[in-house]
Amino acid sequence: MKRGSGKQTTASKPTRPQVVGTPSFTSAEAQQCAFDLKQAGVRFTPLPNQDHGGGCSSIDSVKLLDIGTPVTNLGAMTCPLAKSFAAWAQFAVKPAARQYFGQEVVKIETYGTYSCRNIYGGRSGRLSQHASSNAIDVSGFVLADGRRIMLDGGWNGDKTSQDFLRALHKSACRRFGTVLSPDYNAAHYNHFHMDMSGNGYCR
């Protein structure tokens, strides 16, 4: 009996929400987004919907495998975010690198996507868009000759780096709902924050 009750106690423990995912991409809108990604030549893996607890989730998200340029630290991204980011990399980052440096971009460096936290990582306040896999923080770019054009240093650095990064910021503002640059506040001194919330909030 003790063994049986022991098993029952184990079974009755609160289930960890992140263990079991539910099917994703069931809505017509989500399926259209996945189709658009495939049409754009983007390789990705659909991820199961996850409720991570604490208001954090990954719904209709993907893991990007290949967007034509290597990208560091990519985790779960909502499909619309992945779609906008892949297009930005292809149609903004690559041409801008050729225009300003005469170089190809061989890597985009980021601080990641999903993170269950409040805005600015604070103990209180509202949840960040990162908490719903709906944001990405881009920190810099590696050129074919090995140069690294980083937001930290480059945003207020030499004129070419400044022009390059501001061109990318301007382009991002046309593709994402919210874009925050080092000009926004001290918390963004070293990256672009880009998410799909808001309606063209660009700082």
Side-chain angles (χ1 to χ4, degrees):
M1 288 297 290
K2 282 185 179 179
R3 280 185 184 176
S5 63
K7 284 181 180 177
Q8 195 167 352
T9 303
T10 303
S12 64
K13 280 183 180 178
T15 55
R16 293 173 63 84
Q18 62 266 42
V19 173
V20 180
T22 59
S24 58
F25 292 90
T26 55
S27 71
E29 186 180 19
Q31 289 172 4
Q32 181 63 50
C33 183
F35 176 78
D36 292 343
L37 268 184
K38 288 177 184 174
Q39 288 294 101
V42 174
R43 287 183 55 237
F44 65 95
T45 298
L47 300 175
N49 288 341
Q50 300 275 9
D51 177 356
H52 300 287
C56 300
S57 64
S58 300
I59 306 298
D60 292 334
S61 296
V62 301
K63 169 72 173 177
L64 287 179
L65 304 176
D66 184 5
I67 64 169
T69 302
V71 185
T72 64
N73 301 318
L74 287 183
M77 305 172 73
T78 60
C79 186
L81 176 66
K83 182 176 156 185
S84 289
F85 178 72
W88 180 72
Q90 176 70 27
F91 300 113
V93 176
K94 285 185 173 182
R98 296 186 196 112
Q99 178 184 346
Y100 291 99
F101 297 104
Q103 295 275 326
E104 294 296 323
V105 165
V106 295
K107 187 187 295 182
I108 298 173
E109 298 190 350
T110 86
Y111 290 131
T113 52
Y114 171 77
S115 178
C116 187
R117 60 177 173 80
N118 294 325
I119 56 171
Y120 313 139
R123 289 177 177 270
S124 61
R126 59 189 169 86
L127 284 172
S128 165
Q129 287 294 311
H130 289 283
S132 54
S133 308
N134 201 34
I136 184 168
D137 289 340
V138 175
S139 57
F141 309 86
V142 181
L143 304 178
D145 64 2
R147 275 183 291 174
R148 296 171 77 231
I149 312 302
M150 309 303 291
L151 271 292
D152 183 8
W155 186 254
N156 293 312
D158 64 90
K159 186 177 186 307
T160 306
S161 295
Q162 285 193 41
D163 290 348
F164 169 69
L165 293 173
R166 279 162 177 76
L168 295 185
H169 177 257
K170 184 177 180 181
S171 174
C173 290
R174 292 194 293 266
R175 295 181 183 275
F176 300 89
T178 296
V179 179
L180 305 177
S181 75
D183 284 346
Y184 179 57
N185 64 12
H188 294 83
Y189 78 96
N190 61 356
H191 66 277
F192 289 140
H193 167 98
M194 305 186 294
D195 71 50
M196 301 306 292
S197 74
N199 186 24
Y201 186 79
C202 177
R203 292 285 297 275

